[in-house]
């Protein structure tokens, strides 16, 4: 999900405790309410799921339900508002769900099959630009059978459909509170999730309290959560050090992570934990550009880029080199670019260019956005420029723009080479291959490759056992290596800092890197 804000990583918190889920005891021995305060730089852009295909998912996961979700520790879709869901045919074109009994929204309305149908149909009816309607491309129609059965009829086999239903964009909303003609804009939420949105102040905070009517998989280990929104990382880290917040789940720079890991400030009351992330960064080449359109130029760049140096110098080890579009931790991950090019080699790069008749330094402009992926983006491109020019084979000019104008530029094909990022909609290799191909590639560069789009992907979408499609995705990644239309650079690691008295965070991050606030708790101390 490339819309999601900020490169700055997010992650899981602290350590398990035998006291997980227990409330603190007051001096009198009675249990007191558990409240957690979390700081983040990831403010929602909307409170309406029909418009959400970005970091708004962070809040939505905690206040809405979806039919399917990821119970802590799971990497495959499991029932949430549903009692069960399954394909009822052998071609993966009919997906049926039965709802849990007794579900209702926070306004008292019944959450039944018609409410589910309304919630999903509303997304396709509103067709919000930049919204999640694009995720429902395989959906033909929705049928209800009684109060508790919903059947999704698909236009073509799509074994990834259960993954789509897990995304907070597919949150279930009360029909009486959400118009099918316009987005909700009153700053309120009517859902059925683990928490209720008690109050919301844009740019400042969201107050969450336990939903007394919630029926789902979430085991809430706290009673209330305050989410405080910050514009950048320095104030949120300062707030943690002053004990004004308990944890940070999005909003740490590489320097701050290193400082906390090395305990430079001797902060004995803070802790930080690292996990593997699925957000990736890559270069996109414009096939219509005189230089970047030459496959020899692209292959020479692939031969020169030193990913190890890039993540060491710029990201100080808070990222990992990436050698395929499917990152580590996702089924189907390979090291196809390393297998093809090995270590950076100026001699081999020169041979590639010379063989194509290119004997003079290639002049090329690399573009990046200034305000989408974090403060390290500019140093990253400085390092890429240094690597390419030190070979004597390239002369690089760097240019940048804010995201809005940057996006307009690459969709018009104005940039020879540019940097992009991608945050997954769901943890399946399909979501790291399919979005980058076809006429409507998210890169803005149409990329037609029939073997992938008409053969390999349709094959994999017929197979509900996602572990059985590795060969097809390996082949797809090899095709991407041969073309070098997209060059993967690195994948992020996830970090969260917290007070040492906060537990449960090792289970708090779901496979979509969305924080499940109900896992956090304050350890008792006696």
């Amino acid at each position: 999900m490339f819309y999601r804000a900020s490169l700055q990583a997010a992650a899981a918190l602290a350590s398990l405790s035998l006291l997980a889920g227990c409330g603190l005891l007051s001096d009198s021995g009675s249990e007191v309410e558990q409240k957690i305060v979390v700081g983040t730089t990831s403010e929602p852009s909307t409170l309406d799921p029909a418009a959400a295909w970005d970091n708004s998912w962070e809040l939505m996961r905690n206040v809405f339900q979806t039919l399917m979700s990821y119970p802590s520790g799971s990497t495959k879709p499991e029932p949430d508002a549903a009692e069960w869901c399954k394909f009822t045919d052998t071609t993966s074109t009919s997906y049926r769900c039965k709802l849990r009994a007794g579900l209702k929204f926070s306004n008292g309305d019944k959450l039944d099959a018609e409410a589910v149908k309304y919630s999903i149909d509303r997304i396709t009816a509103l067709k919000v630009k930049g919204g999640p309607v694009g995720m429902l491309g395989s959906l033909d129609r929705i049928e209800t059978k009684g109060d508790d059965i919903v059947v999704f009829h698909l236009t073509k086999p799509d074994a990834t459909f259960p993954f789509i239903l897990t995304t907070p964009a597919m949150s279930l909303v009360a029909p009486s509170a959400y118009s099918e003609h316009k987005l909700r804009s009153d700053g309120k939420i009517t859902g059925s999730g683990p928490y209720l949105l008690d109050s919301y102040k844009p740019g400042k905070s969201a107050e969450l309290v336990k939903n007394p009517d919630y029926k789902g998989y979430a085991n809430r280990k706290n009673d209330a959560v305050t989410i405080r929104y910050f514009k950048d990382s320095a104030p949120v880290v300062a707030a943690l050090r002053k004990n004004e917040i308990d944890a940070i789940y999005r909003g740490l720079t590489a320097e701050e992570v290193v400082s906390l890991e090395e305990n430079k400030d001797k902060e004995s009351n803070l802790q930080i934990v690292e996990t593997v992330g699925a957000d990736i960064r890559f270069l996109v080449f414009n096939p219509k550009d005189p230089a970047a359109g030459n496959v020899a130029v692209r292959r020479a760049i692939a031969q020169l880029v030193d990913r190890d140096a890039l993540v060491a110098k710029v990201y100080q080890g808070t990222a990992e080199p990436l050698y395929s579009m499917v990152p580590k931790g996702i089924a189907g991950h390979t090291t196809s670019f390393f297998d093809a090019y090995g270590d950076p080699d100026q001699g081999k790069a020169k041979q590639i260019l010379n063989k194509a008749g290119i004997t003079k330094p290639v002049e090329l402009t690399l573009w990046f956005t200034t305000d989408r992926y974090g403060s390290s983006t500019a140093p990253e491109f400085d390092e890429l420029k240094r690597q390419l020019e030190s070979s004597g084979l390239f002369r690089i000019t760097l240019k940048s723009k804010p995201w809005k104008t940057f996006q307009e530029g690459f969709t018009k094909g104005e940039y020879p080479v540019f940097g992009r990022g991608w945050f997954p909609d769901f943890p399946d290799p399909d979501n790291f291959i399919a979005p980058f191909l076809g006429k409507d590639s998210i890169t803005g560069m149409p990329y037609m490759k029939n073997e992938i789009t008409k053969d390999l992907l349709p094959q994999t979408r017929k197979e509900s056992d996602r572990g059985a499609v590795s060969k097809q995705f390996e082949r797809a990644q090899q095709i991407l290596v041969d073309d070098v239309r997209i060059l993967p650079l690195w994948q992020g690691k996830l970090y969260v800092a917290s007070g040492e008295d906060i537990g449960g965070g090792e289970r708090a991050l779901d496979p979509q890197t969305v924080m499940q606030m109900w896992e956090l708790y304050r350890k008792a101390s006696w």
Side-chain angles (χ1 to χ4, degrees), residues 155-455:
T155 59
K156 54 189 175 183
D158 188 0
T160 70
F161 193 72
F163 292 89
I164 293 169
L165 291 181
T166 68
T167 66
M170 304 298 143
S171 293
L172 306 179
V173 301
S176 65
Y178 290 82
S179 169
E180 61 184 326
H181 304 295
K182 64 180 180 179
L183 294 174
R184 186 171 180 176
S185 58
D186 62 356
K188 297 180 180 180
I189 281 174
T190 307
S192 60
Y195 296 98
L196 305 177
L197 181 63
D198 191 50
S199 69
Y200 177 69
K201 297 178 181 178
K204 294 184 178 180
S205 65
E207 298 287 346
L208 310 183
V209 296
K210 266 187 177 181
N211 180 359
D213 298 317
Y214 170 70
K215 291 185 178 182
Y217 70 87
N219 177 18
R220 293 164 294 182
K221 298 173 183 175
N222 58 62
D223 300 295
V225 176
T226 295
I227 305 174
R228 289 183 56 191
Y229 299 112
F230 295 79
K231 294 299 182 184
D232 49 52
S233 64
V236 71
V237 173
L240 180 65
R241 286 177 170 149
K242 294 176 183 177
N243 295 319
E244 295 173 352
I245 61 175
D246 297 308
I248 303 172
Y249 79 95
R250 208 175 278 278
L252 290 171
T253 65
E255 292 79 9
E256 287 159 348
V257 168
V258 172
S259 176
L260 288 165
E261 285 184 325
E262 296 179 355
N263 198 25
K264 291 180 179 178
D265 299 319
K266 307 300 180 185
E267 296 287 351
S268 60
N269 64 331
L270 299 182
Q271 58 189 340
I272 189 165
V273 171
E274 168 191 315
T275 63
V276 175
D279 59 308
I280 65 174
R281 296 295 181 274
F282 50 92
L283 293 178
V284 180
F285 296 91
N286 187 340
K288 294 184 179 181
D289 181 78
N294 189 325
V295 68
V297 171
R298 303 197 298 268
R299 288 174 178 171
I301 291 174
Q303 185 65 70
L304 289 172
V305 169
D306 188 338
R307 295 169 177 82
D308 287 324
L310 183 66
V311 299
K313 292 181 179 181
V314 179
Y315 294 101
Q316 301 182 51
T318 61
E320 295 185 79
L322 181 63
Y323 295 96
S324 73
M325 289 303 288
V326 179
K328 180 180 177 181
I330 301 296
H333 166 69
T334 69
T335 55
S336 49
F337 272 90
F338 184 83
D339 298 340
Y341 293 97
D343 292 322
D345 191 312
Q346 295 182 11
K348 290 182 179 179
K350 185 175 182 179
Q351 290 177 3
I352 292 171
L353 293 174
N354 288 349
K355 189 175 180 180
I358 302 173
T359 57
K360 295 181 180 180
V362 178
E363 295 187 3
L364 206 56
T365 300
L366 273 58
W367 284 83
F368 62 93
T369 180
T370 57
D371 60 352
R372 191 69 175 180
Y373 305 122
S375 59
S376 297
T377 306
E380 174 182 344
F381 275 77
D382 286 338
E383 172 61 16
L384 289 172
K385 172 182 168 71
R386 185 199 66 78
Q387 291 182 11
L388 296 177
E389 289 190 336
S390 66
S391 69
L393 303 174
F394 288 88
R395 291 175 183 166
I396 303 297
T397 300
L398 297 181
K399 292 187 178 182
S400 61
K401 288 183 178 180
W403 173 255
K404 185 177 181 179
T405 50
F406 176 77
Q407 187 177 30
E408 292 172 353
F410 71 68
T411 55
K412 292 178 181 178
E414 295 176 354
Y415 310 147
V417 186
F418 55 97
R420 288 296 309 277
W422 179 252
F423 295 83
D425 296 318
F426 48 84
D428 187 90
D430 185 288
N431 199 231
F432 292 90
I433 300 292
F436 304 98
L437 288 101
K439 293 181 180 179
D440 299 318
S441 166
I442 62 95
T443 66
M445 301 287 103
Y447 184 8
M448 312 308 295
K449 209 67 183 180
N450 288 343
E451 184 180 352
I452 297 179
T453 58
K454 294 186 178 181
D455 184 15

